[in-house]
Amino acid sequence: RRDRRRRASPAAAQLTAMLCLPALVAALDEQCKDPLFETHWYGKPGYASRLGGHLQVLNSIPTVKTGLTLCPRYNGRASCCSEEFEHEQAKYFNFFRTMIFPSKIARIRALHESVRDVMNTAGYNAATRVEREQLQLALERFNRVLHPAIYSECFSALLLYVAGMNCFACRPDWFAYVTQEEGEVLRVHVHPLVCMELWASCETFGESAVALRQALLDSALAKQAKKEAEDLDMFEDQQSLCDWMHDQVALHPFRRPTEAEREAAMRQPHHKVDRRRLQDDPDEESSPGDIDILEEGRGSTFDTTWTF
């Protein structure tokens, strides 16, 4: 009997391995199926044709690559990115860099022109001295908001966040940093330090934006402008900015610009500015389950210099 049990052991082990193999393969397959990048899953039927052409996709399972240039820290380790997929990463990063974010500045410029045009109306000619002064104050408040020295550092930081979320696509352990429900990511667990660093770069611009918003609200003449006021509430404070970036970027890292964003960005003049980078806090460490998106961005080679 003992001999039969010994002879049966290899067969039993082989059977156990065969039973476990599908579960192992399934686990590997899920590692490159982050719902945030669902349109670029390997083997996802129908997406390439719906998006208008050939589509580069994530690896089917974590694979070791050595030629990654956009997210080079994933070279030499199993990841979901490939050299081919970098074409998609560059494309969606540039959507934010050249259209989505510039369109906000462009709309503020358009609003500025519209408010200034109020001075050529009959309503302005009939306005009181106080009303004219309030309009003039609103026009002056535009100057700081639209000065590259004020907004460039902030928008460079926002681009660093976008770069980090692009590289997040490479992570086979993505599920450790998100909350899901029925296959949908509800929240990316961004380290609190990220919000602090973003606000450190955007606080000056935020203060100017809040001052502009209040001046526009106080001016009866400014309300006569034909352009609608641009939403600047996301720059009101640290939490508002953090929430906005999470909802607009972290949950939608591969989104396309709207037609309005494309058109607004086309009207945006270019400004050359110096690159500014956020600094690490040596006393702060990421805790398990929280992702430092800005650190992911720093490890990339995406150009986060704001030049608009």
Side-chain angles (χ1 to χ4, degrees):
R1 292 176 183 171
R2 280 195 295 269
D3 290 342
R4 282 198 299 271
R5 282 198 297 271
R6 279 197 295 269
R7 284 196 298 272
S9 294
Q14 185 177 12
L15 177 60
T16 301
M18 291 176 64
L19 292 173
C20 292
L21 185 59
L24 178 61
V25 172
L28 284 172
D29 185 59
E30 290 300 311
Q31 287 184 305
C32 290
K33 290 214 169 20
D34 183 344
L36 295 175
F37 306 94
E38 185 176 358
T39 56
H40 292 72
W41 286 357
Y42 178 86
K44 188 75 174 178
Y47 275 97
S49 59
R50 289 214 296 273
L51 290 177
H54 185 59
L55 187 70
Q56 301 296 342
V57 296
L58 294 159
N59 297 330
S60 57
I61 61 173
T63 307
V64 176
K65 302 289 182 180
T66 58
L68 301 178
T69 58
L70 293 179
C71 303
R73 65 169 49 179
Y74 290 95
N75 280 321
R77 52 195 279 199
S79 83
C80 299
C81 289
S82 66
E83 293 88 340
E84 295 76 17
F85 182 66
E86 288 190 332
H87 293 290
E88 302 296 320
Q89 291 176 290
K91 177 174 69 177
Y92 285 96
F93 175 81
N94 283 324
F95 282 156
F96 279 98
R97 186 174 186 271
T98 65
M99 297 183 192
I100 297 173
F101 287 159
S103 70
K104 179 163 284 291
I105 298 297
R107 289 191 297 271
I108 297 173
R109 290 186 186 280
L111 177 62
H112 182 206
E113 294 174 5
S114 185
V115 172
R116 190 168 52 197
D117 286 344
V118 173
M119 298 176 68
N120 300 321
T121 65
Y124 179 81
N125 293 332
T128 65
R129 180 180 60 82
V130 172
E131 289 173 333
R132 293 187 182 192
E133 289 176 350
Q134 289 174 332
L135 179 65
Q136 187 59 41
L137 178 61
L139 290 171
E140 291 174 359
R141 293 284 166 84
F142 274 103
N143 294 335
R144 282 184 59 81
V145 172
L146 292 173
H147 199 295
I150 299 297
Y151 66 72
S152 294
E153 181 178 6
C154 176
F155 280 79
S156 289
L158 303 187
L159 284 177
L160 194 63
Y161 189 108
V162 174
M165 281 308 303
N166 258 268
C167 290
F168 188 71
C170 301
R171 300 189 72 104
D173 61 343
W174 57 269
F175 44 82
Y177 300 99
V178 302
T179 295
Q180 297 186 80
E181 185 175 304
E182 298 180 354
E184 178 184 0
V185 173
L186 302 180
R187 180 188 170 203
V188 179
H189 296 278
V190 178
H191 196 289
L193 179 62
V194 171
C195 297
M196 295 171 60
E197 292 191 18
L198 277 180
W199 185 243
S201 292
C202 291
E203 186 173 7
T204 299
F205 176 75
E207 291 173 348
S208 300
V210 169
L212 170 60
R213 183 185 63 184
Q214 189 59 50
L216 291 172
L217 290 173
D218 291 341
S219 172
L221 288 172
K223 294 183 177 70
Q224 296 177 20
K226 294 181 179 180
K227 292 285 186 182
E228 292 185 6
E230 176 64 14
D231 181 13
L232 297 173
D233 289 351
M234 67 287 299
F235 297 105
E236 184 172 358
D237 54 41
Q238 177 178 305
Q239 192 59 53
S240 297
L241 180 61
C242 191
D243 291 343
W244 182 70
M245 287 297 289
H246 176 268
D247 294 346
Q248 296 297 315
V249 180
L251 291 183
H252 305 283
F254 270 21
R255 88 166 179 90
R256 291 170 174 265
T258 64
E259 192 60 36
E261 288 169 336
R262 290 176 185 271
E263 292 176 358
M266 292 284 287
R267 299 191 297 268
Q268 173 72 357
H270 289 75
H271 301 275
K272 294 294 182 182
V273 296
D274 294 331
R275 182 171 190 162
R276 299 185 175 106
R277 301 301 298 267
L278 295 171
Q279 302 298 316
D280 290 321
D281 183 345
D283 298 323
E284 189 83 29
E285 295 183 359
S286 297
S287 59
D290 287 337
I291 182 75
D292 188 338
I293 294 299
L294 297 183
E295 184 60 29
E296 288 278 327
R298 291 189 191 97
S300 77
T301 60
F302 289 103
D303 185 3
T304 60
T305 307
W306 187 261
T307 58
F308 296 91

